[in-house]
Amino acid sequence: MNEIFDEISYCKGAACIMMITAYLGMELFRKGICSYLEKHKYGNARTADLWAALTEASGKDVKAFMGVWTKEVGYPVVSLSRSGGKLNMTQARFLSNGKEIKQANAWWVPMSLLDSAAQCVTCDLKSVSGEVDGTPGMASDWVKGNAGQTGFYRIRYSDELLACLGDAIESIKLSPVDRLGVQSDAFALAKAGQLPTDRALALATRYVNEQDFTVWSDLAGSLGDVMGTWAKEDAEYQQLQKLLLKVMGKIVDVVGWTPIAGEHALFPMLRPLIIGAVGRNGHEDVKKEALARMYSSEGWQSVPADLRFAVFSIVVAHGGVKGFDSVLKVFKEADMAEERVRALRGLGYAREPELIDRLLQMTLDDSIRAQDVFYVYGTLAGNRYAMDRAWEFIKTNWEAICKMFSSGQFLLGRILKSATYAFTSEAKVAEVEAFFKDKDTPGAERSISQALETIRLNAQWLERDRAVVKAWLASNV
């Protein structure tokens, strides 16, 4: 079951439902769904029956609209540019590996365009290309495609339009979901080779005034993807750390360590995200505060529960043996499983080889529950100091690890994917393939295949943009 149903099965379906809801409007969508359920209750139905019910309720040809979305693989990227006062749009299938594949049918793309005057224009792009007159604002100022992020497609902006959006982002003129969408598209396109990575990094610097948790959560992940891919490029990695601290410089002061009466409802989630990110990447004040709180006379229990993982990870990353042992003590003595997992994940940020080896050995000596072992490998794989040691440990102890998961191969699949996804060279692809060539891994084949695909994408991204990122960092950080 875990091999059959994955993110594509669920997430693409959910995205399409959200898109058709926005296209029809919530009331008409509900009317159509109610009619569909009533008509087919106690019976069976097909996709065409749902489209028929929604068409009857809305008066729109839903079957034609949704046909390509449900029958064709993937989803599109729409390129948006401006010339002569008009907006030009071109669609193509988006592939994470950047390859161009001729699409048999164009998607019916419900495009919504928002301008600086808060005016929105909607149009349907049913062919490979098209143009729209838009509004006076769209002819000269910023314009946001896929307004509200309800459409299941990515937007690739021309350099001019992306620069204009940067101004709107920095001045918080876009909604949180649109600010999230712009950077999400930019980094996805960069990874796919459809946008130079320096453009995405430049865009990230425009988020210095951001205070929304959902935006920061996604942007932190985007920056983390770049840092993970450049993890073995020592000079560039250190500059990327400085860039992260620069981008998060204002928000770390805004959230602070202590809740304030009347603060935004999501600040309790934003605070540990920001503190953890800047602390692990060398923010001196945050690092000192985390160590002081951990080593205080009241101990780790004085740290608010929502900040504990952030503190644990910072203490392990910067505290050496003392820091590692202090968090290991939490893992051994905590009563709650949730607390033990926080500590276990924190231990994965160790940087010293002997501490990394101690943690890895714990995965085999019954110190860690089998179902929690993947937390160790998942964290170590994202740790530039530990990823290679974790992989060598798996190879050396393969038989013991297999015995541990003999009755639950899906857990083994999670571990293997977690332990290898962060590699960034074709040499590692060959190494991983060669190791598993003669290994019996029932239930984990897809995880291994996905990990190999991710390594290839990482390697291509690094090779393609290594020079451009180096140059941009040298000039801007």
Side-chain angles (χ1 to χ4, degrees):
M1 292 293 288
N2 284 279
E3 288 283 288
I4 297 172
F5 294 102
D6 57 11
E7 290 183 0
I8 294 176
S9 305
Y10 290 107
C11 295
K12 182 176 181 179
C16 287
I17 290 295
M18 182 174 74
M19 180 171 63
I20 195 171
T21 303
Y23 182 68
L24 301 180
M26 180 59 76
E27 290 304 314
L28 291 177
F29 178 77
R30 285 177 175 170
K31 181 181 177 181
I33 290 295
C34 289
S35 174
Y36 168 77
L37 293 174
E38 180 64 27
K39 185 174 182 179
H40 299 284
K41 64 182 178 182
Y42 309 123
N44 296 320
R46 299 176 301 163
T47 303
D49 297 319
L50 175 60
W51 299 159
L54 292 172
T55 297
E56 182 180 356
S58 65
K60 297 182 178 180
D61 190 349
V62 175
K63 181 180 180 180
F65 172 61
M66 290 300 297
V68 178
W69 293 100
T70 57
K71 294 178 181 178
E72 295 285 351
V73 177
Y75 60 94
V77 53
V78 178
S79 297
L80 199 60
S81 61
R82 180 164 54 197
S83 62
K86 295 181 181 292
L87 291 173
N88 304 307
M89 300 176 291
T90 304
Q91 64 163 285
R93 181 180 169 190
F94 175 79
L95 289 171
S96 58
N97 60 13
K99 293 181 179 179
E100 293 186 5
I101 296 180
K102 188 175 182 180
Q103 189 72 17
N105 300 294
W107 281 274
W108 181 334
V109 178
M111 177 61 71
S112 52
L113 300 161
L114 179 70
D115 74 358
S116 56
Q119 292 182 291
C120 192
V121 171
T122 60
C123 60
D124 292 335
L125 179 62
K126 300 180 183 180
S127 57
V128 172
S129 61
E131 65 179 25
V132 61
D133 291 336
T135 66
M138 291 177 188
S140 59
D141 206 341
W142 62 262
V143 55
K144 169 66 174 63
N146 195 14
Q149 293 298 121
T150 56
F152 184 40
Y153 52 90
R154 294 197 181 277
I155 298 288
R156 179 171 58 196
Y157 297 94
S158 65
D159 288 347
E160 179 225 351
L161 290 179
L162 193 60
C164 291
L165 277 174
D167 295 335
I169 288 167
E170 190 164 348
S171 56
I172 316 295
K173 292 179 180 177
L174 290 172
S175 67
V177 69
D178 282 326
R179 298 197 301 272
L180 185 156
V182 174
Q183 64 80 30
S184 176
D185 286 349
F187 280 96
L189 291 165
K191 190 168 186 176
Q194 298 189 33
L195 182 76
T197 303
D198 60 339
R199 303 286 198 282
L201 293 174
L203 178 67
T205 65
R206 310 305 294 272
Y207 285 79
V208 290
N209 296 318
E210 185 59 61
Q211 294 190 13
D212 186 86
F213 166 73
T214 57
V215 179
W216 272 121
S217 180
D218 202 74
L219 178 56
S222 297
L223 291 172
D225 281 345
V226 180
M227 295 177 72
T229 303
W230 268 257
K232 296 298 184 180
E233 310 291 308
D234 290 342
E236 286 72 39
Y237 186 85
Q238 292 174 22
Q239 289 177 306
L240 285 167
Q241 288 181 300
K242 292 178 181 178
L243 174 65
L244 182 143
L245 296 180
K246 178 181 178 181
V247 173
M248 294 185 173
K250 286 186 178 181
I251 191 62
V252 69
D253 292 330
V254 171
V255 297
W257 284 83
T258 307
I260 301 173
E263 69 180 14
H264 193 281
L266 294 182
F267 264 33
M269 298 173 69
L270 178 61
R271 186 171 291 110
L273 171 70
I274 298 298
I275 287 176
V278 300
R280 291 188 293 270
N281 285 286
H283 191 292
E284 286 299 325
D285 291 341
V286 170
K287 183 170 66 176
K288 290 177 182 178
E289 181 66 19
L291 290 167
R293 288 179 177 236
M294 190 70 186
Y295 299 149
S296 70
S297 58
E298 297 176 327
W300 65 271
Q301 290 179 322
S302 65
V303 179
D306 56 351
L307 293 178
R308 285 176 186 168
F309 168 67
V311 169
F312 294 162
S313 61
I314 295 168
V315 168
V316 172
H318 299 290
V321 175
K322 180 182 178 181
F324 186 90
D325 286 341
S326 66
V327 176
L328 180 59
K329 184 179 179 181
V330 177
F331 173 73
K332 291 180 176 180
E333 296 180 355
D335 295 324
M336 296 178 60
E338 180 182 15
E339 206 68 73
R340 288 165 60 84
V341 169
R342 284 194 191 116
L344 188 60
R345 291 172 58 214
L347 291 170
Y349 287 89
R351 299 182 175 184
E352 296 76 7
E354 63 274 15
L355 299 179
I356 296 167
D357 290 344
R358 281 176 61 188
L359 179 59
L360 286 167
Q361 194 59 46
M362 286 171 58
T363 65
L364 296 181
D365 64 10
D366 295 327
S367 297
I368 302 172
R369 297 184 306 172
Q371 63 263 41
D372 292 337
V373 167
F374 80 93
Y375 290 117
V376 174
Y377 288 105
T379 309
L380 290 176
N383 179 348
R384 65 193 294 255
Y385 301 94
M387 59 176 68
D388 291 322
R389 297 185 81 84
W391 170 235
E392 290 301 320
F393 186 85
I394 287 177
K395 292 193 295 181
T396 302
N397 298 277
W398 176 249
E399 290 186 6
I401 293 172
C402 282
K403 288 180 181 179
M404 188 188 313
F405 299 103
S406 59
S407 62
Q409 288 291 334
F410 76 94
L411 284 174
L412 180 61
R414 294 180 71 179
I415 289 172
L416 297 178
K417 187 175 181 179
S418 297
T420 57
Y421 78 95
F423 292 139
T424 58
S425 70
E426 289 295 337
K428 282 296 184 184
V429 172
E431 182 181 329
V432 174
E433 281 185 320
F435 179 75
F436 288 114
K437 186 176 182 180
D438 59 352
K439 302 295 187 298
D440 186 23
T441 56
E445 290 88 350
R446 176 173 287 191
S447 294
I448 296 170
S449 177
Q450 290 173 339
L452 288 168
E453 181 181 8
T454 300
I455 300 170
R456 289 190 180 96
L457 294 177
N458 291 341
Q460 292 166 9
W461 187 12
L462 179 60
E463 182 63 25
R464 183 177 57 246
D465 279 3
R466 179 186 277 114
V468 74
V469 167
K470 180 177 181 179
W472 186 86
L473 290 171
S475 301
N476 293 277
V477 179

